[in-house]
Amino acid sequence: MSGLTDGPVIRPRRLRGTPAMRRMVAEHRLHPAELILPAFVREGIDDPVPVTSMPGVVQHTRESLKKAAAEAVAAGVGGIMLYGVPEESKKDAVGTAGTDPDGILQVALRDVRAEVGDDLVVMSDVCLDETTDHGHCGVLDAQGRVDNDATLERYAEMAQVQADAGAHVLGPSGMMDGQIAVIREALDQIGREDVGVLAYTAKYASAFFGPFREAVGSSLKGDRKSYQQDPANFRESLRELELDLAEGADMVMVKPGLPYLDVLAAYAAEVTVPLAVYQVSGEYAMVEAAAEKGWIDRERAILESLTAFKRAGANMVLSYWAVEAAGWLRRDF
């Protein structure tokens, strides 16, 4: 009888023994509706253009973007975040294409809404980096610095034209002080209280944004360290969160994702609004490159990273794998 007490009495492995058991006791599950697809649409091209640093991602034509949006709906994806890439000749110091009703992003918003209606949450990027000839997220002053308050005036105009073009949600990504309040006021002034604002609350000056700059045809020289957050700082992100919520953000976001899970988890403990995380281009490129070399299992690595965001407290994940991952999740339900 003494042998009955040999070995551990408490054995957590009992709950890991079979796939059915693991499914039943899983603490977190990701759903396709929680995924948001970032997508790029480029002016003046006849066929989609591959983004070389992001295998599988393209700069869409207007027609291929509509098809991608329809595919996202069919996959059960929750939303799409649009970025417009104007022709080089249309870039200028103040990002005029960003407020032109016929600018590529506004045209694409109308295209996508006509294609999918309200079956997909259509989001748009409120930022000037794609449309300025200097590549910064705002207008520059006489010393070549980003002028915060002058940029806010441009964001207000952008918000209004994007709302008129059909965006359900606006995503101001420039990290200007006061941008949420200004955009909320601009929307309310034109009677668009129905349009939501997703705040890029913690957006760090990250090396992981590199491939994105190819995707949007960025003209940036230098860096954005004077307005994006320092990767060394954590408490600063809590201050940004407090400000964005006070200014009326409907949702908040952490960007990038995996390097900032601590920030994401801290936000999850604080907020009562939906919380998003952006799995950025560099995160995507690393997994794709390692998988291409045969060094990691691609599908497992993607799903593991997405699950990490869910475990840290995210309600929504922006990911370039959104449609593909949604298919896997639906398969495994």
Side-chain angles (χ1 to χ4, degrees), residues 83-159:
Y83 298 88
V85 184
E87 294 181 278
E88 283 295 320
S89 63
K90 294 185 180 178
K91 294 183 180 182
D92 59 23
V94 297
T96 300
T99 50
D100 180 355
D102 294 320
I104 183 59
L105 180 53
Q106 288 70 253
V107 169
L109 283 166
R110 291 194 290 271
D111 286 343
V112 171
R113 281 300 304 275
E115 183 72 22
V116 302
D118 294 331
D119 292 339
L120 194 65
V121 179
V122 180
M123 306 178 173
S124 60
D125 180 50
V126 182
C127 195
L128 291 171
D129 59 326
E130 298 99 328
T131 58
T132 52
D133 53 15
H134 48 73
H136 278 287
C137 297
V139 297
L140 305 183
D141 64 17
Q143 287 74 46
R145 302 169 300 190
V146 174
D147 186 325
N148 190 95
D149 294 1
T151 299
L152 294 181
E153 295 180 19
R154 299 290 295 131
Y155 285 2
E157 295 178 63
M158 292 183 74

Side-chain angles (χ1 to χ4, degrees), residues 125-324:
D125 180 50
V126 182
C127 195
L128 291 171
D129 59 326
E130 298 99 328
T131 58
T132 52
D133 53 15
H134 48 73
H136 278 287
C137 297
V139 297
L140 305 183
D141 64 17
Q143 287 74 46
R145 302 169 300 190
V146 174
D147 186 325
N148 190 95
D149 294 1
T151 299
L152 294 181
E153 295 180 19
R154 299 290 295 131
Y155 285 2
E157 295 178 63
M158 292 183 74
Q160 291 176 340
V161 298
Q162 290 180 11
D164 285 342
H168 292 107
V169 174
L170 305 184
S173 60
M175 291 301 290
M176 297 297 119
D177 294 339
Q179 62 184 12
I180 303 303
V182 165
I183 288 170
R184 183 71 268 159
E185 181 180 3
L187 292 171
D188 293 351
Q189 282 178 351
I190 61 169
R192 297 309 307 270
E193 296 88 354
D194 58 317
V195 175
V197 179
L198 168 60
Y200 284 60
T201 299
K203 183 178 179 181
Y204 285 87
S206 174
F208 291 94
F209 296 154
F212 179 90
R213 293 179 183 173
E214 177 193 352
V216 297
S218 175
S219 303
L220 180 67
K221 294 180 176 60
D223 59 53
R224 299 185 173 121
K225 293 179 181 179
S226 67
Y227 46 102
Q228 293 178 354
Q229 287 180 241
D230 185 341
N233 291 353
F234 172 80
R235 288 193 302 272
E236 181 184 35
S237 70
L238 299 179
R239 187 182 187 198
E240 293 281 2
L241 177 63
E242 181 181 0
L243 290 168
D244 282 353
L245 292 174
E247 292 176 19
D250 298 291
M251 299 173 274
V252 296
M253 181 161 65
V254 174
K255 181 182 180 180
L258 288 178
Y260 299 95
L261 288 177
D262 58 330
V263 179
L264 182 64
Y267 277 23
E270 293 287 331
V271 302
T272 56
V273 299
L275 174 59
V277 64
Y278 200 139
Q279 186 176 48
V280 301
S281 59
E283 298 174 69
Y284 177 95
M286 287 193 304
V287 171
E288 290 291 349
E292 190 275 329
K293 291 285 189 180
W295 293 341
I296 60 173
D297 182 315
R298 179 177 179 272
E299 180 178 333
R300 286 185 61 195
I302 292 168
L303 291 176
E304 185 175 338
S305 64
L306 293 172
T307 301
F309 300 135
K310 182 76 172 182
R311 190 183 67 245
N315 305 111
M316 304 169 291
V317 182
L318 285 81
S319 175
Y320 301 99
W321 290 303
V323 172
E324 187 174 14

Side-chain angles (χ1 to χ4, degrees), residues 41-42 60-67 104 107-108 111:
V41 57
R42 178 173 167 182
H60 284 286
T61 66
R62 289 174 60 186
E63 285 303 314
S64 69
L65 177 65
K66 290 191 290 184
K67 181 179 178 183
I104 183 59
V107 169
D111 286 343

